[in-house]
Amino acid sequence: MAVIAGMAGMVRPAQAEVTDARITAEGTRDFNMVLDLRNSPDNSVMTNGRELIVRFSDPIGEFDLNSLIGQYPEQVLTVQTSYDVLLMEMAFDGKFDISQNDNQLAVHYTKPEKQAEAKPAPTTRIPLSDAENRAAETRRAIIEARARMELGQYGHAREILSAIIKNDPESVEARNALAEVEYRSGNWREAARQYGRVIAHNHDPAIVRARQDILKQNGAFIGGGAQYQDNGSSNTQIVGTVNGRAFIRDDLLLAMDVENRHIDADPFIQRNGDNRGFTGDRQKLALRLDQEISARTIWQYRAYATQKSPGIGAEWQYNILPGTVSLDADYHQPYWDQTSAVVQYGTRDSIAANYDITQADSWDIGIGTSLNNYGLDGDANLARTWRLEGYVRDSFDIYNFPVFADYRLDAEYPLAQTDKTDAAGNGFSPLDVARREVHEFSMGHDIRLADYLTLSTGIAYSYDRYGEQGFGFTGALIGNLADQYETTLSFGHTANSSNSVGSSGSTFIGITIKQYF
């Protein structure tokens, strides 16, 4: 969605501005308000009783319209503004007379006289038909609902749109607006349902993508995939996965991941000191249950299993605007970052803390830290480490070309490792956790090749203070060839990776297919 908005921004005209606002009044019977505008030639103006609602053609700039309340208390009761909407509630009942041009919006508000109004003069204008009147009124109501949505008046906007849909259940424009209201107010399930009703009558690619984005982030799915990895001199692996998630009830989400990993590993030191290779398969299962306690709090419960080692974990997530803080702990989580750990059924015990800020003026920022205790089957205390992770991501334009830039830190520092002696009297570490401090800088761009096909590409330079460094690349061809299906072909190369021994490089190619519900 951010990419769509960014591309739309390439053709947006200069930002609209309210440069001045003034009111002249004669007592409390009537007054004139004039808004001086810049770059706003096509505004939607509505009145509802005492309320004046203006939706400008572009953002309204920095002028403080809320100051009108203090300057004109006898005329203005409330003022609300948002991105491109102004709502004013007048202090007394009256009649609006509105005119506008490219540079000004003039409002004359008059308290009606007590005597009966004169009958209107005859007119030769051809009256609108009932259907045309209903269509005009519906359009005006939808504009008002969207304006109230921008002001955060979700309940009022919902009432307006629900009334339209009650009279016209197949109104695509009203359902599209209602879907956006529901999503912004946090009711993503109803938003997805309303978008589905819209798609049934209007297969607009933008609406299909909007629904897919909602389901991808929140909804149920089932999927599978395969990936081939060449981890340099360490090993090659073919990874097959089956995963999915579904709601047991509205506040309870169950997710599952099953993985089979076929490994062809170079010789490495076994826990008894022998040096030999390995070819074979390893499997693991992960189950996750997310329980929504409140609008801000989620508890997550986890269960793990390999052929030899079960494990459990839990996480507490709390939404602290504009981000989310989480605390989590895991016991005997399957840990396969090291070749020896993969072969020997490695586990990790950890406690971690993370904080993520997303979509704060297009910035995504996160930082996390953990203390870890690693072991192999039958020996749970072979290495202890401290891990530090972080990222900063921004989306912006370079000469009207939308791109994203990213910095990531992946660091792990051993605190202690167990040494043993083999049968020949030589010392060795049964689980040698590599020290790493990877700094990665990347830049990329999403290219929409067709309505349902996107190419996401990026280049990166990564530097490990204790290992390899160099350039890499990533790419993904994402196809939405049907409303509920997503197919992703991914490929890339990294100069170093935490998913292989000694933070060495990795080249991969893979495909995943998901069906969302």
Side-chain angles (χ1 to χ4, degrees):
M1 295 295 289
V3 174
I4 297 171
M7 295 181 69
M10 294 170 59
V11 296
R12 182 182 291 276
Q15 177 170 309
E17 292 184 71
V18 177
T19 58
D20 192 18
R22 54 195 178 274
I23 291 179
T24 57
E26 295 180 6
T28 59
R29 175 164 294 278
D30 59 5
F31 69 96
N32 293 289
M33 179 180 72
V34 177
L35 301 180
D36 289 340
L37 308 177
R38 181 184 301 157
N39 301 319
S40 191
D42 186 19
N43 310 309
S44 299
V45 183
M46 294 151 285
T47 61
N48 184 9
R50 297 181 181 184
E51 293 180 326
L52 171 71
I53 303 171
V54 184
R55 184 156 195 184
F56 296 94
S57 58
D58 273 289
I60 59 179
E62 302 297 326
F63 187 85
D64 186 12
L65 287 163
N66 294 280
S67 63
L68 294 176
I69 300 175
Q71 295 177 23
Y72 307 99
E74 293 183 341
Q75 288 79 29
V76 180
L77 187 61
T78 61
V79 175
Q80 291 184 332
T81 60
S82 74
Y83 178 74
D84 60 353
V85 175
L86 163 67
L87 183 147
M88 295 181 63
E89 184 179 0
M90 304 307 176
F92 55 87
D93 293 326
K95 181 181 178 182
F96 287 101
D97 185 14
I98 301 162
S99 62
Q100 61 175 322
N101 54 42
D102 288 357
N103 302 313
Q104 278 190 345
L105 175 68
V107 179
H108 180 62
Y109 192 61
T110 307
K111 194 169 185 176
E113 299 291 343
K114 290 184 178 181
Q115 63 268 25
E117 296 183 2
K119 292 183 179 181
T123 178
T124 58
R125 184 177 65 88
I126 300 174
L128 296 175
S129 67
D130 290 344
E132 289 173 325
N133 279 321
R134 286 195 299 270
E137 179 60 24
T138 297
R139 179 59 183 158
R140 189 207 69 80
I142 291 174
I143 293 173
E144 179 184 347
R146 285 190 170 277
R148 293 190 182 278
M149 176 186 66
E150 295 291 344
L151 294 166
Q153 299 178 5
Y154 302 122
H156 198 160
R158 188 181 291 111
E159 289 178 5
I160 295 172
L161 296 168
S162 296
I164 297 173
I165 292 171
K166 184 178 180 179
N167 294 323
D168 183 8
E170 306 307 326
S171 174
V172 169
E173 191 174 5
R175 286 196 181 276
N176 193 28
L178 182 58
E180 191 170 348
V181 169
E182 297 293 358
Y183 182 73
R184 292 202 189 187
S185 62
N187 190 1
W188 66 266
R189 294 181 186 86
E190 182 61 21
R193 191 179 76 84
Q194 293 297 338
Y195 276 135
R197 291 288 297 271
V198 173
I199 293 168
H201 296 277
N202 179 12
H203 207 269
D204 186 330
I207 298 175
V208 172
R209 286 195 298 271
R211 183 172 184 269
Q212 287 173 333
D213 286 344
I214 292 173
L215 293 175
K216 185 175 181 180
Q217 183 177 358
N218 303 288
F221 73 85
I222 186 169
Q227 185 179 83
Y228 172 79
Q229 300 175 2
D230 182 352
N231 297 321
S233 62
S234 301
N235 58 56
T236 60
Q237 302 182 15
I238 299 175
V239 186
T241 59
V242 175
N243 51 25
R245 67 187 180 200
F247 282 90
I248 300 175
R249 61 183 193 219
D250 285 352
D251 62 343
L252 210 57
L253 175 69
L254 177 65
M256 179 190 71
D257 290 277
V258 180
E259 177 184 297
N260 183 83
R261 190 173 293 245
H262 177 78
I263 306 161
D264 289 307
D266 287 348
F268 61 94
I269 297 177
Q270 304 288 297
R271 78 170 97 187
N272 62 1
D274 293 342
N275 190 10
R276 58 186 174 87
F278 174 84
T279 297
D281 293 274
R282 289 290 180 261
Q283 297 83 33
K284 69 177 179 181
L285 166 70
L287 296 173
R288 192 186 82 231
L289 190 65
D290 290 353
Q291 183 179 12
E292 186 176 316
I293 305 299
S294 68
R296 290 195 172 189
T297 305
I298 293 177
W299 271 101
Q300 184 180 105
Y301 315 98
R302 300 186 284 255
Y304 311 105
T306 64
Q307 291 96 323
K308 293 187 177 182
S309 178
I312 58 174
E315 181 174 319
W316 172 78
Q317 300 175 8
Y318 188 73
N319 181 18
I320 302 176
L321 295 176
T324 302
V325 63
S326 64
L327 303 173
D328 67 274
D330 283 301
Y331 175 72
H332 279 193
Q333 177 187 8
Y335 181 73
W336 291 359
D337 281 357
Q338 304 294 320
T339 302
S340 55
V342 171
V343 175
Q344 300 284 1
Y345 297 100
T347 61
R348 173 172 60 186
D349 308 328
S350 68
I351 55 174
N354 299 277
Y355 183 59
D356 295 275
I357 301 175
T358 57
Q359 298 303 323
D361 296 329
S362 80
W363 287 86
D364 295 345
I365 304 171
I367 188 168
T369 185
S370 65
L371 292 172
N372 312 283
N373 184 70
Y374 296 101
L376 298 175
D377 180 41
D379 196 344
N381 298 288
L382 295 177
R384 289 181 295 278
T385 70
W386 170 54
R387 189 166 185 174
L388 181 63
E389 299 174 282
Y391 66 91
V392 178
R393 179 186 172 98
D394 186 28
S395 300
F396 54 93
D397 289 352
I398 299 179
Y399 295 107
N400 290 328
F401 189 74
V403 299
F404 58 83
D406 186 272
Y407 163 76
R408 292 185 179 271
L409 169 66
D410 177 13
E412 190 161 17
Y413 308 97
L415 302 176
Q417 297 203 54
T418 298
D419 293 323
K420 292 189 176 183
T421 303
D422 63 17
N426 300 315
F428 70 97
S429 295
L431 181 55
D432 186 16
V433 179
R435 179 188 301 270
R436 69 177 180 275
E437 186 181 302
V438 180
H439 302 266
E440 182 178 86
F441 303 87
S442 62
M443 181 172 288
H445 173 62
D446 292 338
I447 305 171
R448 190 163 298 282
L449 302 177
D451 286 342
Y452 304 103
L453 190 62
T454 299
L455 176 63
S456 180
T457 60
I459 58 172
Y461 177 80
S462 56
Y463 170 77
D464 186 352
R465 287 181 58 198
Y466 307 102
E468 301 293 331
Q469 51 269 337
F471 286 95
F473 66 92
T474 58
L477 195 61
I478 306 168
N480 302 115
L481 302 180
D483 294 348
Q484 293 176 290
Y485 290 88
E486 179 181 81
T487 302
T488 302
L489 175 66
S490 57
F491 52 90
H493 172 77
T494 59
N496 40 56
S497 170
S498 62
N499 292 322
S500 56
V501 171
S503 190
S504 59
S506 177
T507 302
F508 64 90
I509 184 170
I511 186 171
T512 61
I513 301 174
K514 290 183 178 180
Q515 180 183 6
Y516 293 96
F517 302 95

